[in-house]
Amino acid sequence: MGVRLMVVDDHRLLAEALASALKLRGHRVLAAAAPTSGAAELVVSRAPEVCLFGTASPAAPGVFDPITRIGQERPQVAVVVLGPVPSPRGIAAAFAAGAAGYVRHDERIEGVERAMLKARAGESAIAPQLLRGAFAELLNPAAQPDDEGRRLLRMLTPREAEVLVRVAEGEGTRLIAAGMDIAPSTARTHVQRVLMKLGVGSRLEAAALAARTGLLERAAANGGAPQGPYAPEGTQRGPQQGDTPGGTRQGPYVPGQRG
């Protein structure tokens, strides 16, 4: 079944060419327009299933503001960004704004089509290699002052900060629970609280927001990923099952630990 979509790009010729190719493949294109700054108005008025959002400058400030507005006013619309690579910070910014997918500008039409279908089905649409590049940037963000990162960190408890670091490391609920010596249900609750406090809808968005604001780096620097089970500040963890005689914890991966 064809997708009801819109194509917006800062270059009208590219938008119209992509729209024509997708029409030939049986999809219903409601509009092909430029520039992307007007995407929100078009999406709100036409209500497509998917919006393809093309930009040559994904890391530019404010470029994804229309996606944020679309998420607020038409949350049922899945936005797939078409952007350049390498641009790991741009990928992170796209997902932080609420995009459902990110596809290379030079991707074949079949790849764009697959991303559209996945996004419409509620799945994240991004190639694994792009995701790996984005997470490499997330885990090693450029050091820069960021008041928003400090503000967000103050909203999280020390344990929630640890959960955020583990989420950014790619750990699932069971691995988080094992690494923190808590029940999976408790780990799941901590993750949901982190998402709620950060105002995001998915773990990927949380990690992207953490990288964009410097929150991830601050959380790790402030002890957001303590070694082994969580202990309140000023207390010392006693020997645990799996410790070596020297006191080194063996078992689940701990963010920041090497060796």
Side-chain angles (χ1 to χ4, degrees):
M1 181 178 178
V3 177
R4 192 174 71 254
L5 72 138
M6 291 177 47
V7 183
V8 293
D9 196 292
D10 288 331
H11 301 283
R12 181 176 294 276
L13 185 60
L14 294 178
E16 292 177 349
L18 180 56
S20 296
L22 290 170
K23 282 180 181 178
L24 291 175
R25 299 179 72 86
H27 301 288
R28 181 185 175 195
V29 180
L30 302 181
T36 53
S37 58
E41 287 76 9
L42 282 172
V43 169
V44 170
S45 63
R46 304 286 184 91
E49 295 175 302
V50 174
C51 172
L52 295 179
F53 187 99
T55 177
S57 306
V63 70
F64 294 130
D65 287 351
I67 297 179
T68 301
R69 182 182 164 193
I70 290 170
Q72 294 169 345
E73 300 190 31
R74 291 285 187 183
Q76 71 277 19
V77 177
V79 179
V80 176
V81 174
L82 305 178
V85 173
S87 182
R89 294 192 68 81
I91 295 171
F95 278 100
Y102 192 104
V103 179
R104 293 174 58 127
H105 259 150
D106 59 357
E107 179 62 79
R108 295 171 63 88
I109 189 66
E110 293 85 359
V112 175
E113 190 173 40
R114 283 194 299 270
M116 288 164 36
L117 294 172
K118 289 185 68 174
R120 184 178 67 173
E123 303 176 39
S124 294
I126 181 170
Q129 63 269 26
L130 299 189
L131 191 58
R132 284 194 295 269
F135 270 104
E137 177 72 20
L138 294 177
L139 298 175
N140 298 282
Q144 57 183 354
D146 198 315
D147 291 338
E148 186 180 2
R150 285 194 290 268
R151 179 184 66 81
L152 292 173
L153 184 59
R154 286 196 296 269
M155 296 168 58
L156 304 178
T157 67
R159 178 160 284 192
E160 289 166 349
E162 177 181 0
V163 167
L164 176 61
V165 173
R166 292 179 181 273
V167 165
E169 291 274 25
E171 294 186 11
T173 300
R174 291 190 179 279
L175 193 54
I176 291 173
M180 297 177 67
D181 277 1
I182 56 178
S185 59
T186 303
R188 191 174 300 108
T189 297
H190 283 316
V191 171
Q192 290 303 316
R193 285 177 178 169
V194 169
L195 298 185
M196 180 183 67
K197 287 185 177 182
L198 296 183
V200 297
S202 71
R203 298 182 185 213
L204 185 59
E205 287 182 55
L209 177 63
R212 179 171 60 82
T213 62
L215 173 59
L216 183 62
E217 187 177 31
R218 293 179 186 279
N222 287 1
Q227 305 297 302
Y230 174 78
E233 186 177 354
T235 65
Q236 185 172 358
R237 180 177 67 87
Q240 302 289 325
Q241 181 180 4
D243 282 353
T244 65
T248 302
R249 182 72 168 172
Q250 303 296 316
Y253 173 74
V254 178
Q257 181 173 316
R258 294 291 182 267

